[in-house]
Structures are given as C-alpha cells and as structure tokens.
Amino acid sequence: MSTTTPPTASAPTTAPVSQQWVLTLSCPDGPGIVHAVAGALAGLGGNITESQQFGDPLSGLFFMRVQVEAATSREDLEAALQPVAEHFAMSWVLDVVGRRVRSLLMVSKAPHCLVDLLYRERSQAMPIDVVGVVGNHPDLEDIATFYGKPFHHVPVTRGTKAGAEARLRELVAELDVELVVLARYMQILSDDLCREMPGQIINIHHSFLPSFKGARPYAQAHDRGVKLIGATSHYVTGDLDEGPIIEQDVARVDHSRRVEDLVAIGEDVERQTLARAVRWHAEHRVLLDGHRTVVFR
Amino acid sequence: MSTTTPPTASAPTTAPVSQQWVLTLSCPDGPGIVHAVAGALAGLGGNITESQQFGDPLSGLFFMRVQVEAATSREDLEAALQPVAEHFAMSWVLDVVGRRVRSLLMVSKAPHCLVDLLYRERSQAMPIDVVGVVGNHPDLEDIATFYGKPFHHVPVTRGTKAGAEARLRELVAELDVELVVLARYMQILSDDLCREMPGQIINIHHSFLPSFKGARPYAQAHDRGVKLIGATSHYVTGDLDEGPIIEQDVARVDHSRRVEDLVAIGEDVERQTLARAVRWHAEHRVLLDGHRTVVFR
Amino acid sequence: MSTTTPPTASAPTTAPVSQQWVLTLSCPDGPGIVHAVAGALAGLGGNITESQQFGDPLSGLFFMRVQVEAATSREDLEAALQPVAEHFAMSWVLDVVGRRVRSLLMVSKAPHCLVDLLYRERSQAMPIDVVGVVGNHPDLEDIATFYGKPFHHVPVTRGTKAGAEARLRELVAELDVELVVLARYMQILSDDLCREMPGQIINIHHSFLPSFKGARPYAQAHDRGVKLIGATSHYVTGDLDEGPIIEQDVARVDHSRRVEDLVAIGEDVERQTLARAVRWHAEHRVLLDGHRTVVFR
Amino acid sequence: MSTTTPPTASAPTTAPVSQQWVLTLSCPDGPGIVHAVAGALAGLGGNITESQQFGDPLSGLFFMRVQVEAATSREDLEAALQPVAEHFAMSWVLDVVGRRVRSLLMVSKAPHCLVDLLYRERSQAMPIDVVGVVGNHPDLEDIATFYGKPFHHVPVTRGTKAGAEARLRELVAELDVELVVLARYMQILSDDLCREMPGQIINIHHSFLPSFKGARPYAQAHDRGVKLIGATSHYVTGDLDEGPIIEQDVARVDHSRRVEDLVAIGEDVERQTLARAVRWHAEHRVLLDGHRTVVFR
C-alpha cells in the first residue's frame, strides 16, 4: 500500500475554499469500504458529486473513484483519509479535479496524434499540460512550435539507444513529467525504462490488439481480409503490445481498400482512441487491475 | 416522498440468507446522502457490490442505485433505511436483484419485437416474467403460444376503444402487471391510462426522436434522405412521442434503400433498443428525472 | 473457368416475362469487360438496375455483380453471355434475383443464431429456404418444429465422427443443399468435407478474428481485458478459423463484465453478423478472391 | 442537359499519357445507358477501374460514377461522350482523378473543423486546395497562417451583411473557387447567394437533422434527454437546415453530460462528418437527386 501524491499538485494548504477533489483507491475487497470513505469525507463537510466502485471477483480487489466538493485543505483531507487507507490497506491517490497533468509527447514522423493532442490541450478538452515534445526525427518540430511547445530532437540508432534513453530520463526529471505519451513513436522503449514508469507511459498501437501485434499491422489486416480495422491504447510494459488495454475502437473497411487506405482510415481511429485514453488517465479514471484496467468513465 | 415496494416481491421475511438487494432512490441533493445510505447498509453487515450516483444540477435532484449483499430480511432493511429516507425526503424502491418483473406485452401485427423479448426472457437475458400477450390483431397468437404465453385478442376500433382499455385495466389487475411493453403496438393509449401507470409503460418508436414523430417515420426518413435511421424507446406519457427517452440507437443506410428496406433494417434497431430499455427497467437501472431519465448502466 | 448453374434454379425456359437476373463473375482484369458484359445484356433488351465492379491489384482479378431486368429465357441469357465468358476466361454464376437458396442449418445447444435465422427466413428478410436443421444435440428440436423444419439429430462422438459426416453428405444430397450454415455448431468439420463444399459453408466464430482463435474466445477476451468484443462470419476451409472473412462486428464492454456477460452480449453480435453474411451470400453479393472476399453490399 | 467542365481542370490537351478520369452523370433511366457509356470509353482504349450506378424509382433518374484509366486527351474523351450524353439527355461532369478542388473555408470562432480540414488537406487525405479562409471574426487567423493560407476577415453585422456577401462573391470569383465549406460559420447566407452556387456550398449542422434545427441544438438535445447526439453535413439551399444531406453521424451520451459536454463530444462528430462530406464531394462521389443525395462511396 502506498500514498501517491502527484508531484506537482498545487493544492491550497491554507485558507481552504470549496473545490472539487478526486480520490482514487484500490484495496482488498470487503464490507464497509464505501461507508468508511464516505464517512471520512462527510466528516469534513464534503459533498460527494460523483462516485464509482467496482469489485473484481477474480483479483479480489475493490476499486473506487470519488469526486467530492469540500472547503478543506489537502493536509486535512489526507489526515482524514489516512486511517481509513491504513485500515483497508489501500493504494490511493488524491488530486484536485482539473489539475493539468504534466505530459511529454513522443513522436516520430506521423503527425496525426501529435496534432490532435496539442489541439485538444489548447481547447481544454483534456487536463494535460504538454511540457515538451520529443521526436526521434526532426519532422514535426514546426507543429510543436506552432503550439508553443519546446521540441527535443533525440535521434535513435542502434548504437545510440542507451544515450537516447538517458536523455529521456533527464527530460522526465527536469520537466517534472508525470505522463509520457507515445503518440505514434516508432521506437521500442527498453524494459528498464518501462519498469521505471509503471502506469505512466501510454501508447497507441495501430491495430485491434491482440490481433496484428508488431510492425505493419495494417498490412497484416489487409492480407487477412478483415472487415473492421482498429486501434488500441494501452499502458506500456516491458512486454511489447501486451500492456493493460485502456481503450479500443474500430472503423469499417471493405475489400476495395488498399493498405494505404487502411493507414489513412486508421489515423482517425488512432487519434480518437489515444485521446480518450489520455483524457481518462489525466482525469484519474483509469486504475490498474493486474494486467487489465478498470476505467471509470 | 414515498416508499414503493414492488407488489409481488417475494423477498424472504424470515430466516434471512445472504442475497443481493438493489436500492434505488432520488431526493433533493445535499451533503451526506451517500454516507447515510452506506451507513444504514453497513449497520446490517451489508457489502456494497455496485453503486452509482448522479446529482442533476438542473433539477437539483440526487439519484442513486446501490446493490448490496446482505443476510437480512426485507423488514430489517426497510427499518434501517426508513429514517434515512425520511431525513432526506427520498423516493425509494427496494427489490431483490434478479426478481422477474411481471410484464404484459402488447402487439399488433409486426412480430420482431415480440419474438425478441420472448426469446430473451427464455434465455434469461432479462429479469422479466411475461404474464401475457395482448394483440389488437390475432396474428401473433402462434408465437405467444410457442413460448407458452396466454394470448388475449383485444380488438380496437373507434367505437370499442374505451371497452378495450377497460379490458386492459382488468388484465393489469388480474395478472398483477408491473410493466406494460408496447412491442410495436400500433394503437395510441388514452391519456387516462397513461397517467394511471407513470413510468410503467415502455414504448418503442421507430425513429430517432425527436425526428419523425407520428406515423410512418421510415417514409418520412426516406423522403428527407437521412443517412442514419434510428429507434427510440421511451416511457409513455399522455404526450405522444414525447415521453422520457430511455435508449436510442441508429443504423447506417444509403441512397439505394427504399422505404421497405428502411423498415427491414429498422427492425433490428428497434428490437435491440427496446430490449435494452426493458432490461434496464427490469434491473432498476432507469430513474425518472422530470421528462428525462437517469440510466445507471 | 466454369459455368456454375445453381442446381435448383427454377428459371422460366419458355414464355419469358420480364424479371430480375443477377450475374456474378470474376476473371483476369483487363480493358473491355464491363462493355462486353453490358453489350451482351443490352442485346437482349436488358436494363441494368444495379452493377458493381472491383479490380484487385494484388490478385490481378476483376469482379463484377450486375442485376439486369430482362424479358428473356435463361437459355438466351446464357447463350448471350457464353462467348463473353469464354473470351475473358470468366467464372460466372447466373441466377434469378430473390430465388431462395436451399440451406441446411447446423446447431449444437445455443439457440440464438438458429432462432434468428429461422425468424428472418419467415420474415422474408433473406432469400433462403431452410430445408432442414441438423443438431449434434437434440435440444433445439422444438424451435425447428415451431418453424416447420425437419430436425435431424446427428450425434457426434470421437468414434462416430466419420459416420456423422456421412449422414451429413446424405442430407446435403437428398435435400439438394446449396448452403450449409454452422449456426454455433460446436463440432469441427473434417478437411475432406470442407474441401467438397468450397464457398458453400458459412461459420460464425465468436470472436473478432484473428484475435482469440479456437475454443472459449470470450474467456480469452476477458483475460486480455479488451474493451470491444466481436464476432466473425467466414467461409469454412480446412484451415480452422482461417477461412475467408465475410463480415465482422463488435460491441463495447467494460471492466465490470464477467465472462458470462461477454457471452450474453456476444450473442447479439453473433446473430447479426451471421445473418448479414448469410443474406449477402444468398443474394450473390460475396465473391471469393483467394483467401479474402469481395462483398458487393 | 449540360456539360459542366470544372473551371480549373488542368487536363493535358496534347501528348496524352495514361491517367485516371472520373465521369459522373445523371439522366432519365432507361435501357442501354451503361452499355453506351462503357462503349464510348472502350472505344478510346479506356479500362474501367471503378463503376457505380443507381436508378431511383421515385425520381425516375439514373446516376452513374465511373473511373476509367485511359491514354487520351480531354478533347477526345469529351468528343466520345458527347453523342451518348445527348442521346440520353445527360447532365455530366468529367474530371481528372485526384485533381484538387479549389475550396474556400468560412469560419467564425470555433476552430475544430478548420483545424481538421487544413490538417487533412496537408496530409493529402482529401483532394482539396484551400485557396483561402474567410472569418467573420479574426480569431482563427493564426491557424490559417500556420497552414500558409490567406485569411480574410469579413465581419458581418445586420447593416453590413450585403456588403459582406459582395466581398464573398469577389473572393469566389478572384480565387476561382469551386467549393465553399461552412466550417462552423455561424452566419446565415442569403437566399440569393445560396441559389448562385447550387451544390457548391457544404455546411455542417451540429445536430442529427431533422432533429434540433436552428440555433443551440446541443441545448435542445440536452433538454430532450436524447441518448445520442449527432451532426449532419449538407448542401446549403435557401431553405435553412433543409438542404440535401450528404453525411450524418452520432455519438453516445448519457444523463451525466451537461450541455458543455455535449458541445465538446459533438466537436469530434462534427469534424469527421464534415470531413467525409467534403472528401466525397471533392472525389465526385456525391450527386444531387432532387432534395436528396446519391453518395457513391
């Protein structure tokens, strides 16, 4: 069990005014959890405005996400929740609703996911703060620049991979990065890097996993003659294309579509699937349940 | 505020064994509701397995659906909940999860919704107990008979409408009917009858309301050249085609479809839309919020 | 190249009245095919009411489906088309639009696809004539009987498989069967039987192929934590779950769904996916292009 | 009948090399049309690579779109088609496949459709050449500039409407505009302007027409409690929100969505619906059939 406080949360610590908090937690299932959490929040005068629970009979774990409006400080909230969390052996995260998650976008040459995420950030359609864009190719610098984002060109070749990952670690540390989004980044991260940021790296795979793992999924889909193509957004683990799935979607195709048509049609599916996954993550709606996810939409 | 106990609930009143209960409620929104309900349930040793809330900022109402596993009698549950309900001025319903809602299906000549609902009942895909089928035409008697359901032929002409509705009221009373499903019943019920059973009559309208109200919606849709056709399942009020919407769905069509094609394509949309609405109603997932619905799926 | 005349086509051979014909063909691609076919049909006074073409750059094959209204006999039509077919080395099929394809349904215990297909046949939603139902279990006899269909109980055990397939061959021959539909038939047909009826056996697989081949796909899907489940209808070849795909569809699920929920949700996807595939086949809309299909919807 | 040659088509008039042509036509239905067209094209050595037809039994009109690969000049093609067109009283358009249609985008303050169309143009996902952006507000100039497009600020007030439309007519003439796209342009064009450019102005309406015409459709949808929201792309006629529909799509919503959520969710539906309509128009896939459209996708 652990108390994870997002590193850059700028919650007020004095003169509390009423605001929305979001609490997510998981623990071994059992009676009394909802009552205990609701009681701790009610004791501070909090009004629960949204709440979702799920008990997984397979893992025996209980998951909860609750939004509460309360005129209280983070210290007081944590003090009220701490005994409950300890009693039920909870992993929990407390954050301010709408706080923008510091995100680093990683790209190669395909612009569609980058354009989409930067546009949605600027439209305030998702609570992320893109603190930088990393490209192993320089092609997309102009888009980053248009949206006012620093672009870091970090080329990767067989010989320079270790150095490139070291540079990534530096950027993550320097920029206080909470979330890395692989927005059609065509390099594979090392197992070590994946393990250092569990549940903090989101990828978009351009197929309906577990169909068509690996490279060139649209060519595989075309060869198999499928009638729907898809995209899968998932957390990255060391196990390539096997990380916990956050969101999937599909689009209909027919026999007349060539591989390049599938690629073009797939772009729309990819960017929407990735955008939903990133938004849900940033809104603390995604909880890990072993190699699967609980998504409280 | 009112305590509505389903008329035929066969909950055990002695020797309580552990079972699943479902509680739905609505009341003016305010702090402490979730905590109070969770507390009343926890006091009886109940374990909340599913819970959903919604506070409507427009109506100022709070809605909640909670499933709880508890080894308790209905009397004890009601006794524990009664003070909470009174304190918050709740409308509430308590039922056993999976209890089959006594349902009367009304049809005319089109069989697709009838076949679908009877099949789903037999497959245990929805907790309903179809206690009879009423047809203003005799055409569908064989289907009712195949599924072992009494078929009541109640013809309706301009002159006999009052008498036909009297017969309906008799059937509702005799058969202890909790839910009436208009499964493509092509007659309009009187305002009086609608008012007698608020939130207890579900209709399927063969268009994407509010488009194409009234008769011959597919002909209207064809004439307008729409690219999607739809169906809408809603509670019946005296206001024709204006009742609270429970569920809607659509199917894609193109220019080559004639009116009769739209009718055929629409059948699949209608039966699925109606089936979802009936199932959610029977599972106590649909709550009325003025002229709209809250659906806890 | 071959001229395949459906065995039971009851086209008028004398006193031709105007009716709709459907012609499907494939041949090596090249200039002049459409013109030659249109010319042969125009020479008989035919009016083309629907026509679709596709040239596959990978296989180098050209595919065409054309509906034509003509007051002509089958003999005259075939005589007009024969020189064109020979010139372009065509495989072709000529049929009367709406002629019902003699179909044998094979089932095990799950009724949803059987109920759906028999209902659609009776509703004239697809041009099939179900000439019999074969079950390796006796469970679904009552449904077949209700729809007036002979039910053949052909049990299959390890020792009796060869005998069971011999009985199938007899039924196919006796009943002049043109199409076999595996409507959730849970036995695997032998390679020999598959090879005897190429493009004439349609299966429904309860997953989004190529994900989750083999048995228990919903359990696999649940374990992988997918967010969409699917179904695939395909022609059966000796290569299990690898036959040419005709149609696929999906339904959205979330973390709260258990394996049994996926099975129930999947039923609706399966029956609709299979129904579309069977209807398109019966309407001569599906052409084989190697291990893929061309579907002229 | 009329021969419409796109104003800026830069077809080769000498030294013909093989290229793809697209021919669209409509005329009174009757026998022999396909044969005659195919014959004219075959006479020039053309190879038909794609062809679609539709005969509308209601209007009695026949529609056809054919792509043909031919090493011929525009003059020779037109000379070959002219007699056929006259014989059948055809309206027809001949163009080079992939020629970019000169388009003017009109916007107000909402950027999502503008961003989307400019991105898709740059990605070569649709054959348009955006020759300028007109805004009645200056807000979106930076986006136009980023994509290298001239931005014309043409404010509209009650008193200046006539002058603003005069400026539009100038721009259409100066820039040789073939297509005007109202990309969430919040002003209503005058009847006169609409009549001057029939089938050349495409709008996106932010509802599933004919539901919720007029202003504030998402507020209306929220009030009605619909479970799906939609968008409709249509040609603009003098009859507001009644023009021929090109494409529609929907997204699922539930009771918890506020009006502002519907607006945000709707953005994705709008931009995709508009993008498909514009692409199909630019690819000559949309034909007018009275107040409806034929879309050869």
Side-chain angles (χ1 to χ4, degrees):
Chain A
M1 81 217 76
S2 66
T3 309
T4 312
T5 310
T8 61
S10 57
T13 54
T14 57
V17 291
S18 187
Q19 65 177 329
Q20 289 268 342
W21 297 87
V22 54
L23 169 69
T24 53
L25 62 90
S26 64
C27 63
D29 204 353
I33 302 171
V34 175
H35 182 231
V37 171
L41 299 172
L44 293 166
N47 184 24
I48 293 176
T49 56
E50 201 179 317
S51 171
Q52 289 161 292
Q53 295 92 45
F54 171 62
D56 183 349
L58 294 183
S59 66
L61 292 176
F62 176 85
F63 300 86
M64 187 170 182
R65 179 188 189 276
V66 56
Q67 284 191 203
V68 61
E69 178 145 11
T72 181
S73 67
R74 170 178 286 274
E75 284 77 6
D76 288 348
L77 260 174
E78 290 182 350
L81 290 166
Q82 191 64 44
V84 176
E86 278 178 18
H87 179 74
F88 290 100
M90 291 175 176
S91 295
W92 60 294
V93 174
L94 179 69
D95 204 349
V96 173
V97 169
R99 187 185 66 83
R100 293 162 65 211
V101 171
R102 296 177 65 84
S103 305
L104 185 69
L105 309 187
M106 297 186 65
V107 299
S108 292
K109 292 183 174 179
H112 55 285
C113 287
L114 177 66
V115 167
D116 192 72
L117 289 172
L118 290 175
Y119 170 73
R120 290 182 200 267
E121 181 204 18
R122 188 157 92 163
S123 308
Q124 302 178 2
M126 48 176 58
I128 59 169
D129 178 11
V130 175
V131 296
V133 177
V134 169
N136 64 322
H137 295 283
D139 305 50
L140 304 183
E141 179 161 10
D142 64 338
I143 295 170
T145 303
F146 174 68
Y147 282 96
K149 302 301 180 187
F151 183 85
H152 309 272
H153 182 206
V154 183
V156 179
T157 60
R158 195 164 307 199
T160 65
K161 181 152 183 173
E165 293 212 340
R167 178 71 186 118
L168 277 183
R169 283 188 183 85
E170 278 177 19
L171 285 167
V172 166
E174 283 167 18
L175 301 170
D176 232 353
V177 168
E178 300 169 79
L179 173 67
V180 172
V181 181
L182 308 184
R184 293 300 307 274
Y185 180 68
M186 303 306 281
Q187 294 291 321
I188 295 168
L189 300 182
S190 70
D191 280 14
D192 283 350
L193 188 56
C194 294
R195 267 193 290 270
E196 288 166 37
M197 299 189 73
Q200 292 180 280
I201 309 175
I202 294 179
N203 184 42
I204 179 73
H205 183 77
H206 41 318
S207 90
F208 188 77
L209 289 174
S211 292
F212 311 129
K213 299 178 194 176
R216 310 204 64 236
Y218 290 122
Q220 295 179 61
H222 185 266
D223 180 65
R224 184 61 186 88
V226 294
K227 302 303 183 184
L228 297 170
I229 57 169
T232 303
S233 189
H234 61 94
Y235 287 117
V236 175
T237 60
D239 208 353
L240 187 65
D241 297 337
E242 292 286 350
I245 293 172
I246 304 170
E247 172 65 343
Q248 302 186 289
D249 212 343
V250 293
R252 191 162 284 277
V253 295
D254 71 14
H255 58 268
S256 70
R257 305 302 186 173
R258 299 157 302 166
V259 174
E260 53 263 43
D261 298 326
L262 301 192
V263 170
I265 293 167
E267 281 194 4
D268 272 341
V269 185
E270 291 166 31
R271 66 184 191 171
Q272 290 183 83
T273 302
L274 179 60
R276 284 199 292 269
V278 170
R279 180 165 62 81
W280 294 339
H281 175 93
E283 294 175 351
H284 298 283
R285 296 186 180 280
V286 191
L287 288 82
L288 279 170
D289 181 16
H291 61 288
R292 299 187 297 160
T293 62
V294 171
V295 181
F296 289 128
R297 297 195 292 164
Chain B
M1 81 220 73
S2 65
T3 309
T4 312
T5 311
T8 60
S10 56
T13 56
T14 57
V17 290
S18 188
Q19 64 177 329
Q20 289 269 341
W21 296 88
V22 55
L23 168 71
T24 54
L25 61 91
S26 64
C27 62
D29 204 353
I33 302 171
V34 174
H35 182 230
V37 171
L41 298 173
L44 293 167
N47 185 26
I48 293 177
T49 56
E50 201 179 318
S51 171
Q52 288 161 293
Q53 296 92 46
F54 172 62
D56 183 349
L58 294 183
S59 66
L61 292 176
F62 177 84
F63 300 86
M64 186 170 182
R65 180 188 188 277
V66 55
Q67 284 190 202
V68 61
E69 179 146 10
T72 181
S73 67
R74 169 177 284 275
E75 283 78 4
D76 289 349
L77 259 175
E78 289 183 350
L81 291 166
Q82 191 63 44
V84 176
E86 279 179 19
H87 179 74
F88 290 99
M90 289 174 178
S91 295
W92 59 295
V93 174
L94 180 68
D95 204 349
V96 173
V97 169
R99 187 186 65 83
R100 292 162 66 209
V101 172
R102 295 178 65 84
S103 305
L104 186 69
L105 309 187
M106 297 186 64
V107 298
S108 293
K109 292 183 174 178
H112 55 286
C113 287
L114 177 66
V115 167
D116 193 71
L117 289 172
L118 290 176
Y119 170 72
R120 289 182 201 266
E121 181 204 17
R122 188 157 93 165
S123 308
Q124 301 179 2
M126 46 175 60
I128 59 170
D129 178 10
V130 176
V131 294
V133 177
V134 169
N136 64 323
H137 295 284
D139 305 49
L140 304 183
E141 179 162 8
D142 64 337
I143 295 169
T145 303
F146 174 68
Y147 281 96
K149 303 300 180 186
F151 183 84
H152 308 273
H153 181 208
V154 182
V156 179
T157 61
R158 197 164 306 200
T160 64
K161 180 150 182 172
E165 292 212 340
R167 178 71 186 118
L168 278 183
R169 283 186 183 86
E170 278 176 18
L171 285 168
V172 166
E174 282 166 18
L175 300 171
D176 234 353
V177 168
E178 300 169 80
L179 173 67
V180 172
V181 181
L182 308 185
R184 292 300 306 274
Y185 180 69
M186 303 306 281
Q187 295 290 322
I188 296 168
L189 299 183
S190 70
D191 280 15
D192 283 351
L193 188 57
C194 294
R195 267 193 290 270
E196 289 166 37
M197 299 188 72
Q200 293 180 279
I201 309 176
I202 294 179
N203 183 42
I204 180 73
H205 184 76
H206 41 316
S207 91
F208 188 78
L209 289 174
S211 293
F212 312 130
K213 299 177 193 175
R216 309 203 65 234
Y218 290 122
Q220 295 179 60
H222 185 264
D223 181 65
R224 185 62 186 89
V226 295
K227 302 302 185 186
L228 296 170
I229 57 169
T232 303
S233 189
H234 61 93
Y235 286 118
V236 175
T237 60
D239 210 353
L240 187 65
D241 295 340
E242 291 287 350
I245 294 171
I246 305 170
E247 172 66 343
Q248 303 187 289
D249 212 341
V250 293
R252 191 162 283 277
V253 295
D254 71 16
H255 58 269
S256 71
R257 304 301 184 173
R258 300 156 303 165
V259 174
E260 55 263 44
D261 298 327
L262 302 192
V263 170
I265 293 167
E267 279 195 5
D268 272 341
V269 185
E270 292 166 31
R271 65 185 192 172
Q272 288 183 84
T273 303
L274 179 60
R276 283 199 291 268
V278 170
R279 179 164 63 81
W280 293 339
H281 174 93
E283 293 176 351
H284 298 283
R285 297 186 179 279
V286 190
L287 287 83
L288 279 170
D289 181 15
H291 62 287
R292 300 187 295 161
T293 62
V294 172
V295 182
F296 290 128
R297 296 193 293 163
Chain C
M1 82 220 74
S2 66
T3 309
T4 311
T5 311
T8 61
S10 55
T13 54
T14 58
V17 291
S18 186
Q19 65 178 332
Q20 289 269 341
W21 297 87
V22 54
L23 168 70
T24 53
L25 62 89
S26 64
C27 62
D29 205 353
I33 302 171
V34 175
H35 182 232
V37 171
L41 298 173
L44 293 167
N47 185 24
I48 293 178
T49 56
E50 202 178 317
S51 171
Q52 289 162 292
Q53 295 92 46
F54 172 62
D56 183 350
L58 293 184
S59 66
L61 292 176
F62 177 84
F63 301 86
M64 186 170 184
R65 179 188 188 276
V66 56
Q67 284 191 202
V68 61
E69 179 146 10
T72 181
S73 68
R74 169 177 285 274
E75 284 78 4
D76 289 348
L77 260 174
E78 289 183 349
L81 290 166
Q82 191 63 44
V84 177
E86 278 179 19
H87 179 74
F88 290 99
M90 290 176 178
S91 296
W92 60 295
V93 174
L94 179 68
D95 204 349
V96 173
V97 169
R99 186 185 66 83
R100 293 161 66 211
V101 171
R102 297 177 65 84
S103 304
L104 185 69
L105 309 186
M106 297 185 64
V107 298
S108 291
K109 292 183 174 179
H112 55 285
C113 287
L114 177 66
V115 167
D116 192 71
L117 289 172
L118 290 175
Y119 170 73
R120 289 182 201 266
E121 180 204 18
R122 187 156 93 164
S123 307
Q124 301 178 1
M126 48 175 59
I128 59 169
D129 178 10
V130 176
V131 295
V133 177
V134 169
N136 64 323
H137 294 284
D139 304 50
L140 304 182
E141 179 161 9
D142 64 338
I143 295 170
T145 303
F146 174 68
Y147 281 96
K149 303 299 180 188
F151 183 85
H152 308 272
H153 182 206
V154 183
V156 179
T157 60
R158 195 164 306 199
T160 65
K161 180 151 182 174
E165 293 211 341
R167 178 71 186 119
L168 277 183
R169 283 187 183 85
E170 278 177 20
L171 285 168
V172 166
E174 283 166 18
L175 300 170
D176 232 351
V177 168
E178 300 171 79
L179 172 67
V180 172
V181 181
L182 308 185
R184 293 300 307 275
Y185 180 70
M186 303 306 280
Q187 294 291 323
I188 296 168
L189 300 183
S190 70
D191 280 15
D192 283 350
L193 188 57
C194 295
R195 268 193 291 268
E196 289 166 37
M197 300 188 73
Q200 293 179 278
I201 309 176
I202 294 179
N203 184 42
I204 180 73
H205 183 77
H206 42 316
S207 91
F208 188 78
L209 289 174
S211 291
F212 311 130
K213 299 177 194 176
R216 309 204 66 236
Y218 290 121
Q220 294 179 61
H222 185 264
D223 180 64
R224 185 63 186 87
V226 294
K227 301 303 185 185
L228 297 170
I229 57 168
T232 302
S233 190
H234 61 94
Y235 287 117
V236 175
T237 60
D239 209 354
L240 187 65
D241 296 339
E242 292 286 350
I245 294 172
I246 305 170
E247 171 65 343
Q248 301 186 288
D249 212 341
V250 293
R252 192 162 282 278
V253 295
D254 71 14
H255 58 268
S256 70
R257 305 300 185 174
R258 299 157 302 167
V259 174
E260 54 263 43
D261 298 326
L262 301 192
V263 170
I265 293 167
E267 280 195 5
D268 273 342
V269 185
E270 292 166 31
R271 65 184 191 171
Q272 290 183 84
T273 302
L274 179 60
R276 284 199 292 269
V278 169
R279 179 164 64 79
W280 294 338
H281 175 93
E283 293 176 352
H284 298 282
R285 298 186 178 280
V286 191
L287 288 83
L288 279 170
D289 181 17
H291 62 288
R292 300 188 295 161
T293 62
V294 172
V295 181
F296 290 128
R297 296 195 292 162
Chain D
M1 85 216 72
S2 65
T3 308
T4 311
T5 311
T8 61
S10 56
T13 56
T14 56
V17 290
S18 186
Q19 65 178 329
Q20 289 269 340
W21 296 87
V22 55
L23 168 70
T24 54
L25 62 90
S26 64
C27 62
D29 205 353
I33 303 171
V34 174
H35 182 230
V37 172
L41 298 173
L44 293 166
N47 185 24
I48 293 177
T49 56
E50 201 178 318
S51 171
Q52 288 162 293
Q53 297 92 46
F54 172 62
D56 183 350
L58 294 183
S59 66
L61 292 176
F62 177 84
F63 301 85
M64 186 170 182
R65 180 188 188 277
V66 55
Q67 284 191 202
V68 61
E69 178 146 10
T72 181
S73 68
R74 170 177 284 276
E75 283 78 5
D76 290 347
L77 260 174
E78 289 183 349
L81 290 166
Q82 191 63 45
V84 176
E86 279 178 20
H87 179 74
F88 290 99
M90 290 175 178
S91 295
W92 59 296
V93 174
L94 180 68
D95 204 350
V96 173
V97 169
R99 186 186 66 84
R100 292 161 67 210
V101 172
R102 295 177 65 84
S103 305
L104 185 69
L105 308 188
M106 297 187 63
V107 298
S108 292
K109 292 182 173 178
H112 55 285
C113 287
L114 177 66
V115 167
D116 193 71
L117 289 171
L118 291 175
Y119 170 74
R120 289 182 200 266
E121 180 204 17
R122 187 157 92 165
S123 308
Q124 301 178 2
M126 46 175 61
I128 60 170
D129 178 9
V130 176
V131 295
V133 177
V134 169
N136 64 323
H137 295 284
D139 305 50
L140 305 183
E141 178 162 9
D142 63 338
I143 294 170
T145 304
F146 174 69
Y147 281 97
K149 302 301 179 189
F151 182 84
H152 308 273
H153 181 207
V154 183
V156 179
T157 61
R158 196 164 307 198
T160 65
K161 180 150 183 174
E165 292 212 341
R167 179 71 187 118
L168 277 183
R169 282 187 183 85
E170 279 177 19
L171 284 168
V172 166
E174 283 166 18
L175 300 170
D176 232 352
V177 169
E178 301 169 78
L179 172 67
V180 173
V181 181
L182 308 185
R184 291 301 306 275
Y185 180 69
M186 302 307 280
Q187 295 290 322
I188 295 168
L189 300 182
S190 69
D191 280 14
D192 284 351
L193 188 56
C194 295
R195 268 193 290 269
E196 290 165 37
M197 299 189 73
Q200 293 180 279
I201 310 176
I202 294 179
N203 184 42
I204 179 73
H205 183 76
H206 41 317
S207 90
F208 187 78
L209 289 175
S211 292
F212 312 128
K213 299 176 192 176
R216 309 204 65 235
Y218 290 122
Q220 295 178 61
H222 186 264
D223 180 64
R224 184 62 186 90
V226 296
K227 302 302 183 185
L228 297 170
I229 57 170
T232 303
S233 190
H234 60 93
Y235 287 118
V236 175
T237 60
D239 209 354
L240 187 65
D241 296 339
E242 291 288 348
I245 294 171
I246 304 170
E247 171 65 342
Q248 302 187 287
D249 211 342
V250 293
R252 192 162 282 278
V253 296
D254 72 15
H255 58 268
S256 70
R257 304 301 185 173
R258 299 156 304 166
V259 174
E260 55 263 43
D261 297 326
L262 301 191
V263 170
I265 293 167
E267 280 195 3
D268 272 341
V269 185
E270 292 166 31
R271 65 184 193 172
Q272 289 184 83
T273 303
L274 179 60
R276 284 199 291 268
V278 170
R279 179 164 64 80
W280 293 339
H281 174 93
E283 293 176 352
H284 298 283
R285 297 185 179 279
V286 190
L287 288 82
L288 279 170
D289 181 16
H291 61 289
R292 300 188 295 160
T293 62
V294 172
V295 182
F296 290 129
R297 296 194 292 162

